[in-house]
Structures are given as C-alpha cells and as structure tokens.
Amino acid sequence: MNNHQSTHVAVIGGGYAGMAAAVSLTARDIPVTVFESAQQLGGRARGVLYNDTALDNGQHLLLGCYRETLRMIELVGGNIEQDFLRLPLQLDLHQQFSLRAPRLPAPLHLLIALFSAHGLTWGERIKAARFMLTLRAMNFRLHKDITVAELLVRYGQDNDLTLKLWEPLCIAALNTPILKASAQVLLNVLRDALNRTRADSDMLLPRIDFTALFPQRAASFVEQRGGKVHTSCGVEAIIPKDDGFKIITNPSAVRPEPVEGHSSVHVSTSSTRTENESGIYRFSHVICAASPVVAARLLQPIPALAETVALIDRLEHQPIYTLYLQYPAHVSLPHPMLGLHRSTSQWLFDKGQIAGQHGLLASVISAEGIHQELAQEELAHKVIAELREEFGITEQPHWFKVIAEKRATFCCSPNLKRPAQQTRLPRLLLAGDYTAGEYPATLEGAVMSGIKCASAILESL
Ligand SMILES: Cc1cc2nc3c(=O)[nH]c(=O)nc-3n(C[C@H](O)[C@H](O)[C@H](O)COP(=O)(O)OP(=O)(O)OC[C@H]3O[C@@H](n4cnc5c(N)ncnc54)[C@H](O)[C@@H]3O)c2cc1C
C-alpha cells in the first residue's frame, strides 16, 4: 500500500496534536478519520462551560514564536489579531518587579527591558543582561544538559533575580520547578522567543475558548473536505494487520446531546453507530495522538512497541491548577496578566480585559507544590484573601471553580528521552506534546508533533 488511493489515516485523539495532524493531511487530500473519546475536542486545551460562563480547563498563554500553532489557527479560518489579545513581552510581579520590552528589534528590546526593569538592583540588571548575551553567544546550546537551578548558579544569577525573574519564567514555560527543569529546554524556548524577531516574544491571550480557537475549526476544515471527526468515540484497541490496522472503538459510547449555546461542544456530524455499527474500522495508517497514559495503554499489546511504551511509562507528570473567580463586573486587576511574588497564586489573569468577561479572574498555580495538599475550598479562600490584600478587592466572588489538571504536562527534566513520532511500525506514528522535540509540553510542541506525523506519512507515499 503506497499510494494516495489506498491511504486512509486514523487519528486517535482530537487535542491540538491530533487535529494539527488531521488538518495537515486533509490539506494534502489524504482521507482522515479522527476519533475523540471525550464529548468535545481540545483535550488538555479545551473549553469548559460553568455557570453559563465560557472557561477553559486552564488559562493558557501563547507566545509569538509559536509559529506552527498560529499558522494552523489561521489555516482553519482563525484570525490571530481578533482571536487574541496581543501584549508585548511584559512581566509584572505585583509591587515587586516589572519588566516591559519596548517596540525595538530583538534582542535590543530585551536588553533595554532588563536594564529598565523595576525591582532589580543595577548589579542584578547587569548580571541578567550579561547572562542573556552569554546564552546568545552560545547559540542557546549547552554541551551537557543540567537543571535550570544549576544553570542559574553557574552564570551568577543570584537568589533575588532567580525568584523574581527566572523561576517564574521557567515555571510558566516548562511547568517544572527549577530544581528539576531542563536548562536546555528552557534555552530552546528563550532562543525562539527572545532572539529572533520582536514579535516572537509577544504574549498572546485568547479571547475565545480553546476548543473554539483551533480544534473545532479544524474539525470543520476536515469534515468540509470529506474527512470524519467522531467525538464521544474512544479507541479501545489498535490491531496491526498486514495491510494496515484494525481500530476497535468503544461501541457502547452514547453520544451526548450538545450543550445549548456553548461553542465548545463536539462538531461531529457523523457517528460511530451510523457509519459502522460494530465500531470496528480499518485504516492504512494510524496516528496515535492520545495523552501519554492512554497511548501507552493502546500500544502496550503490540510487542514491537515495547521500547516506546517503556519510554512513555518513564515520564513523570506535573499538575496545573486554575481557579476561576467570578466577582461583580466592576472588579478588575491593574493589568490583564500579572504575577504574585511568594504567594499561592503565581499568575493572575483578568478575563474582563482579555475577553470582555468582566469581573472574571483566573488564578494559575503551575507545577507541584504544597497547594496540592489543600482542599479546593481552602485553596479558593487563600486566593480570595490574596486578592483582598494585594488589590483591595473586598467583595466576595459570586462563585469560584477550581480545575485541577493533575497530569497537565510531563515533567521536563534534563536529558529526558522522549519517544519519537516514528515507531518501529512504519505506519503507526505518535503525536503529542510529550513526543520527541525541542519544546516542553506546550501547544506548539503538540502541534509540531502532529505536523511531523503528517509529513512522515506524506513522504512515505
Ligand atoms: C491547565 C493547563 C494549562 C496549560 N497552559 C499552557 C499554556 O499556557 N501554553 C501552552 O503552550 N501549553 C499549555 N498547556 C499544555 C497544553 O495544553 C498541552 O501541551 C497540549 O494541549 C497537549 O496537546 P496534545 O494534543 O498533545 O494532548 P491532549 O490535549 O491530551 O490530547 C489528547 C486527546 O486524546 C483524547 N483521547 C484520550 N484517550 C482516547 C482514546 N482512547 N480514544 C480517542 N481519543 C482519546 C483525549 O480526550 C484528548 O482530547 C497547559 C496544559 C494544561 C492542562
């Protein structure tokens, strides 16, 4: 089987990786069927409707250097300037530290931002700027990967500088504490965000939910061109056959009714039942774009993939907690996004300024920490107290919602061996933020992996 006519690709998982793969193949006229076990697309970046309010499973942020993700969003009909609030690079730790990049070419914008940063001594500013210039001279490459904490010590970044600048940056980018985080992966992100064009370091905050932003549009793109997207249709088994693969889906899945008025419900127009009563399908190729735990479960019965499964099993995971608080509409923060120093909340987002959802604030707590030991009520009360102390918000929120993603990302440690997109079965590929790549677990890493799988299939035809 080596031509377009007999090629039909199953994509397992309708997150950003799976949908990027499906769109890339569809754009090249390769028939695709996406299977998504959840009611809606998006996976770890999905819209959530709560109390009639459109939320996400976690507040996400994109960088201007996420070129493939931004290109994909535009390819399926998005408009970056309308879909996002674009902010030039700025880091504000409330009343402690503030850095703003002027509209100048890179890397001048960063050097000026560092030299004019509030909350650092002159000595610290010089150390930070020298560090960036040294990294640039090294082309952001280390001979041997180490932890971010070791890198910072090696290049003389003292404690205050670390706490105010590098630690918040590292946790935001890698979702891994500096004592465990890979310095090389952080440098990959810094290289792409800070060293090319100024717009690469822009911060893009979505105005619409994450299912609507890409996966839902991607599904329409695929379906309008003859492909299929089945939601509420989990894959139970992948069985290699001589001429491809048999895919067994969950035949007991009941398709739920769409939730009225919410943009993030599934968009599938085809269902397992009507197309294939038995829930068994045949494909020439499979792209497994499910989360790592599920991918390991699906691949485990295939002896040739034992090494891949072992690599996935070795990955550790890190959580992200997002607490949404709906205050009266007049409540707002001084900036759309700002950090808190040595507090429970790491980053706060004002959804009123970002998306016109007035009074809605999001508090994000990334990576492991003592917050995981708190009951959700306790966590909310801590954050409410911080908002009162730091910003004088004396009102009580009408409601709050904690969304704890326990396995938000893989733990991005030094020298981590991640499974390749290509497996020992040439027509079975792996997509997902955890697969081999230069990026940490991010939307861009996920999208790039999906595109790589699609390219590998196209090249093989
Ligand atoms: C709270 C939170 C905040 C984050 N913040 C950011 C951020 O600010 N910036 C950033 O770039 N990244 C962020 N990330 C990371 C980003 O969301 C992920 O890297 C990305 O969404 C991963 O996409 P994926 O397609 O690889 O995997 P997933 O999104 O996990 O997609 C896998 C899909 O497979 C489906 N599936 C599972 N089992 C089956 C089955 N048996 N059959 C069919 N389908 C199945 C799942 O339902 C899911 O839809 C954040 C993640 C979280 C959780």
Side-chain angles (χ1 to χ4, degrees):
M1 193 169 322
N2 58 1
N3 56 44
H4 281 222
Q5 279 71 41
S6 49
T7 303
H8 188 177
V9 182
V11 175
I12 304 173
Y16 273 63
M19 294 316 289
V23 166
S24 306
L25 290 167
T26 302
R28 297 286 300 275
D29 297 324
I30 303 293
V32 171
T33 298
V34 177
F35 297 97
E36 166 56 55
S37 57
Q39 294 178 33
Q40 70 183 81
L41 302 168
R44 277 171 284 153
R46 66 182 184 281
V48 171
L49 190 63
Y50 184 76
N51 270 352
D52 289 332
T53 307
L55 308 174
D56 284 302
N57 66 313
Q59 175 67 45
H60 284 62
L61 166 89
L62 277 77
L63 294 174
C65 64
Y66 287 8
R67 292 180 184 188
E68 293 302 327
T69 310
L70 299 175
R71 181 176 72 77
M72 277 283 148
I73 292 170
E74 289 199 316
L75 179 63
V76 297
N79 177 319
I80 300 305
E81 300 315 317
Q82 284 170 15
D83 292 344
F84 291 95
L85 172 67
R86 182 188 280 273
L87 300 173
L89 173 67
Q90 49 187 274
L91 293 175
D92 284 290
L93 285 194
H94 187 55
Q95 294 185 335
Q96 293 290 328
F97 173 72
S98 161
L99 172 150
R100 280 192 157 50
R103 294 201 177 275
L104 288 172
L108 201 59
H109 73 315
L110 177 69
L111 292 180
I112 294 195
L114 285 171
F115 275 118
S116 58
H118 295 281
L120 296 182
T121 63
W122 270 105
E124 286 168 340
R125 293 179 205 187
I126 291 167
K127 277 182 195 164
R130 198 184 289 149
F131 179 44
M132 282 311 298
L133 289 173
T134 308
L135 295 178
R136 198 158 183 257
M138 291 156 55
N139 217 6
F140 294 87
R141 281 234 64 87
L142 298 172
H143 292 301
K144 187 173 163 286
D145 200 4
I146 52 179
T147 65
V148 170
E150 286 167 330
L151 180 82
L152 296 174
V153 169
R154 184 178 293 177
Y155 290 96
Q157 306 299 288
D158 58 31
N159 207 26
D160 205 35
L161 200 47
T162 297
L163 284 175
K164 288 179 180 164
L165 177 61
W166 301 120
E167 187 173 48
L169 253 185
C170 173
I171 291 182
L174 273 60
N175 193 34
T176 304
I178 57 170
L179 286 168
K180 287 190 177 179
S182 157
Q184 185 56 64
V185 177
L186 180 64
L187 296 196
N188 297 343
V189 179
L190 294 181
R191 176 198 64 207
D192 291 355
L194 302 177
N195 195 40
R196 299 187 302 190
T197 69
R198 188 201 51 77
D200 285 332
S201 63
D202 284 351
M203 303 188 314
L204 296 154
L205 297 166
R207 293 194 164 109
I208 57 176
D209 74 65
F210 264 88
T211 298
L213 181 66
F214 173 63
Q216 187 166 278
R217 288 168 169 158
S220 302
F221 181 94
V222 168
E223 292 191 322
Q224 279 159 15
R225 289 159 183 79
K228 294 206 160 49
V229 180
H230 301 300
T231 50
S232 299
C233 187
V235 169
E236 303 265 281
I238 307 170
I239 303 171
K241 293 278 162 197
D242 290 343
D243 57 348
F245 298 90
K246 201 152 96 173
I247 292 291
I248 308 205
T249 62
N250 177 357
S252 65
V254 178
R255 277 162 59 81
E257 290 303 313
V259 181
E260 206 180 311
H262 182 33
S263 64
S264 294
V265 296
H266 70 81
V267 291
S268 172
T269 53
S270 48
S271 85
T272 324
R273 281 326 65 70
T274 53
E275 184 185 319
N276 185 328
E277 286 294 323
S278 64
I280 299 173
Y281 299 77
R282 283 177 184 277
F283 293 94
S284 62
H285 297 73
V286 171
I287 297 176
C288 182
S291 54
V293 173
V294 177
R297 178 162 58 74
L298 291 173
L299 304 185
Q300 196 273 331
I302 305 174
L305 301 184
E307 259 176 57
T308 303
V309 173
L311 282 183
I312 302 176
D313 282 344
R314 255 180 255 142
L315 295 175
E316 290 174 27
H317 300 271
Q318 287 283 335
I320 299 181
Y321 283 54
T322 305
L323 168 60
Y324 291 100
L325 305 116
Q326 180 64 64
Y327 281 97
H330 65 87
V331 170
S332 69
L333 298 174
H335 303 289
M337 170 188 168
L338 81 177
L340 288 185
H341 189 51
R342 296 179 173 222
S343 300
T344 304
S345 299
Q346 292 163 349
W347 296 100
L348 295 167
F349 295 83
D350 182 342
K351 300 286 283 182
Q353 294 181 57
I354 296 168
Q357 295 174 297
H358 298 290
L360 180 64
L361 306 182
S363 155
V364 174
I365 310 164
S366 297
E368 63 197 26
I370 48 168
H371 61 280
Q372 290 172 270
E373 289 157 26
L374 300 177
Q376 296 199 343
E377 286 273 324
E378 282 178 277
L379 184 64
H381 287 121
K382 264 178 163 289
V383 171
I384 291 167
E386 282 171 4
L387 289 167
R388 191 169 50 239
E389 277 158 35
E390 299 281 342
F391 306 101
I393 301 174
T394 48
E395 290 93 334
Q396 283 297 310
H398 299 317
W399 53 259
F400 64 81
K401 169 87 183 146
V402 178
I403 302 184
E405 289 276 5
K406 304 258 165 68
R407 291 167 184 244
T409 67
F410 64 85
C411 179
C412 190
S413 44
N415 302 304
L416 185 65
K417 195 146 192 300
R418 290 153 63 177
Q421 284 77 36
Q422 276 173 310
T423 70
R424 291 185 66 187
L425 298 189
R427 283 183 269 146
L428 195 161
L429 297 106
L430 279 188
D433 59 356
Y434 70 94
T435 58
E438 290 206 312
Y439 269 48
T442 49
L443 296 162
E444 182 71 355
V447 165
M448 286 198 291
S449 75
I451 295 172
K452 272 192 214 165
C453 290
S455 304
I457 292 177
L458 288 163
E459 279 161 23
S460 71
L461 298 177

